[in-house]
Every structure is written in structure tokens, then in C-alpha cells.
Amino acid sequence: MNTSPNSTPEEPLSEESSEGESDSLLPEDFQFSQGSLQDFDDCPRRFLLRHIEERPYPAPEAEPIRENERRKERGVRFHELLCQEHSGVPREAIRRQATGDEKLEVWWDRYVHREPVGETDRTYAEISLEGEVAGYPLVATYDLIAERPGGTFEIFDWKTARYKPERGQLVSRLQTKVYPFLLAQAGSGLTGGDPPEPEQIKMTYWFAEHPGDPETFEYSDYNAKVDEEDLQDLVGKILAGTERAHFEKTEDRTHCKFCTYRSHCGRGAQAGNIEDGSSYLEETGSTQADLDDVEEIEF
């Protein structure tokens, strides 16, 4: 809770109140996600501007602007096609929706040819889960969660960027921590009982431009404990920010190349180029497709 600017030293908080209140700039109703945590990890100032102050974006994300927007729009469309695929829509109908966009047709055909999801008992497309970290809600929307015969679960995340990041880059991304951690914490709605054990979970990134080279990460009790500690530590650092100056600009200026706040921070007006290889970790994110065919999962 923010301390009122009109409070005076002559009116100190009681011991009970001081223990229960915080001077953190973070709103009390804030919900954490892998995106917001990634923003803080990349640059605390970006987190402040985007998630606390909710500043409008003063600069384009990447150049060329129109090409970048086309790529992101195509990525959203691809996510929609795969949401339909795992919601019972016939493949012939899905394929027709890709007609006219050569790249989208290629992606779809690669997906159908590879069948990356494989055998399942059930799939959950574009499903949202909510758990908690350090007393705050932690939320995520998954591209797909596949329940396997035998009770194991595999998280799939569809990536449509031209360049495939190194495995080490994916290891360090908050998404790789948050998604399996949250499923192990809040996945009881999928099992009808206790949530999946960490050993029953793995996560796979599937790349439409590199269909034969997915990246899969096994999960474990050890991973879950380490991730919980890391996430709590990250949130603790955010909560410790009681003044704007505590949210400092990153010292790693590679994060500024594709940041929409770079001009606001005096880190350059020119956006980075989308052809700059894996330095541009393009994010499309999940899409909540408006489909009558999509089954709603209640928790």
C-alpha cells in the first residue's frame, strides 16, 4: 500500500499496521505473469513504465515497422489456427483459413506433417491458470497443455520468429520457469484432484520456422523448488521498490534495441532491425480466440 503523501512523522503507524503494510509502488491488486516478470528481469525501469505507471509506448518495437507488424499478426493467426486444431475444428476448414497467405500455409502444412503434439488423452488449448507467488496472483495463458496416457502433461508453446534462439536463451527466459511451475501449483482443474507432480510435466517450444528442431525441458521437484525461490526473490525485489529511482535502467543495452521505451529513457530513437538474428526474441503470446467451437474449462 502506498503511504499517503499527507501522513506526518507525528502519526507513526502502529506495530501491527507497519507489519501489514508496505510502501511498495506495486498496486495491491497486481497480477504477475511471465511477461511482467521478464520485463523486470530485463529492465526494472521498463517494468515501472509499463506495469506500474502504465505509460503509453512512445516508440516502435522494431524496424521495419510494417514488416514487424505483419509478422506479429501472422503469428497471432497461426496461434488461432492451432487453437482451432485442438478444439475440434476440421483440418480442411482450418487449412482454408490459411489460403492466400503463403507463409501461413507453409507453417500449417509443417505442423500437420510433423504432428508435434502426438498421442494424447486430452488437450487444453488457450487455457489460463492462476496460482500465486509471494502472496500475489501469478497467471498464465498456455498455447496448449497436452495430457498424455499415463497422466503426464506436456506444455507446448508455438514460436513463429524467423530465428530460433539458443537453448541457453530459453533456459533463462521466465516463461520456461513460470509455465511448468504454475501448472504444478494450479493444475488441479485438469486432473480432477491434486495438480500434476513436477516429474509429470515437461515443456516444449515448437518453432514454425524450424519444425524439426523443438526444444523440450523436463521438470522435477528440484526445478520447482529452485523456480519458487527465484520467483519469490524476483517479486521481493519488485516489492522493495518504494521510490521511482529504485527501478533503474538496465545496464545491458541490448535490451534497449527492441524496447518501446528506449526514446523515453534516452537510449536511442531508432528501433533495432528484425533481421538482427536471435537478438530479437520475438514474442507473439497466446491469443484468446473467439470461437464457438472452443471448449471452456472451468476451475
Side-chain angles (χ1 to χ4, degrees):
M1 179 183 300
N2 289 333
T3 304
S4 167
N6 295 322
S7 61
T8 63
E10 289 76 15
E11 299 176 341
L13 296 173
S14 67
E15 182 178 347
E16 179 179 356
S17 297
S18 62
E19 291 180 353
E21 296 189 2
S22 168
D23 291 328
S24 170
L25 297 183
L26 194 71
E28 291 182 345
D29 60 351
F30 191 82
Q31 291 185 323
F32 283 102
S33 67
Q34 64 93 10
S36 62
L37 290 169
Q38 188 66 60
D39 280 337
F40 182 82
D41 193 54
D42 287 346
C43 177
R45 179 60 57 84
R46 182 197 296 168
F47 178 89
L48 174 75
L49 294 171
R50 178 173 291 163
H51 301 286
I52 296 181
E53 297 184 353
E54 298 182 341
R55 297 284 189 99
Y57 303 165
E61 179 183 43
E63 299 280 2
I65 297 173
R66 290 184 179 179
E67 176 61 22
N68 185 50
E69 290 303 314
R70 279 194 292 267
R71 288 190 183 188
K72 294 176 79 69
E73 289 169 6
R74 183 180 289 120
V76 169
R77 290 184 64 195
F78 184 66
H79 279 70
E80 291 173 346
L81 296 185
L82 295 193
C83 181
Q84 294 180 54
E85 156 78 358
H86 293 283
S87 302
V89 179
R91 281 185 168 178
E92 297 79 6
I94 299 174
R95 182 61 169 78
R96 286 196 297 270
Q97 295 178 56
T99 302
D101 186 323
E102 183 178 353
K103 177 64 72 175
L104 195 60
E105 291 177 3
V106 169
W107 288 351
W108 170 252
D109 290 341
R110 286 173 178 171
Y111 178 85
V112 171
H113 175 71
R114 293 282 178 174
E115 297 278 8
V117 176
E119 184 182 1
T120 66
D121 280 347
R122 191 170 184 181
T123 57
Y124 307 87
E126 295 296 333
I127 185 172
S128 298
L129 297 179
E130 178 177 328
E132 68 88 23
V133 59
Y136 279 81
L138 177 66
V139 299
T141 299
Y142 297 78
D143 289 347
L144 188 78
I145 299 176
E147 183 178 356
R148 303 288 189 196
T152 61
F153 292 81
E154 185 167 1
I155 300 164
F156 284 89
D157 194 77
W158 319 124
K159 297 297 186 187
T160 58
R162 178 177 177 181
Y163 296 96
K164 178 180 179 291
E166 297 292 335
R167 184 175 176 87
Q169 288 179 284
L170 294 172
V171 169
S172 65
R173 300 293 286 178
L174 267 299
Q175 186 176 20
T176 308
K177 293 178 177 288
V178 169
Y179 277 29
F181 171 80
L182 189 56
L183 178 56
Q185 183 190 82
S188 58
L190 280 65
T191 64
D194 294 330
E197 295 293 330
E199 286 81 3
Q200 296 175 292
I201 298 170
K202 61 182 177 180
M203 180 170 179
T204 294
Y205 293 97
W206 189 81
F207 306 90
E209 290 285 6
H210 306 270
D213 194 19
E215 293 287 354
T216 297
F217 297 88
E218 303 284 345
Y219 211 53
S220 67
D221 279 330
Y222 174 78
N223 292 134
K225 291 176 182 177
V226 171
D227 289 347
E228 182 175 23
E229 292 175 359
D230 289 347
L231 293 173
Q232 288 181 343
D233 181 64
L234 202 58
V235 172
K237 292 177 181 177
I238 294 172
L239 295 175
T242 59
E243 298 178 7
R244 195 174 190 275
H246 293 159
F247 293 85
E248 299 179 344
K249 301 175 188 177
T250 179
E251 295 182 359
D252 183 357
R253 293 193 175 227
T254 60
H255 291 308
C256 304
K257 291 177 62 178
F258 301 103
C259 178
T260 54
Y261 295 103
R262 64 187 171 278
S263 59
H264 178 91
C265 296
R267 293 287 177 88
Q270 183 69 32
N273 193 288
I274 55 178
E275 301 301 335
D276 287 350
S278 59
S279 64
Y280 180 39
L281 289 176
E282 179 180 327
E283 295 287 349
T284 300
S286 297
T287 174
Q288 293 287 358
D290 185 14
L291 304 168
D292 293 337
D293 308 85
V294 177
E295 182 178 1
E296 292 184 359
I297 309 296
E298 295 185 358
F299 294 90

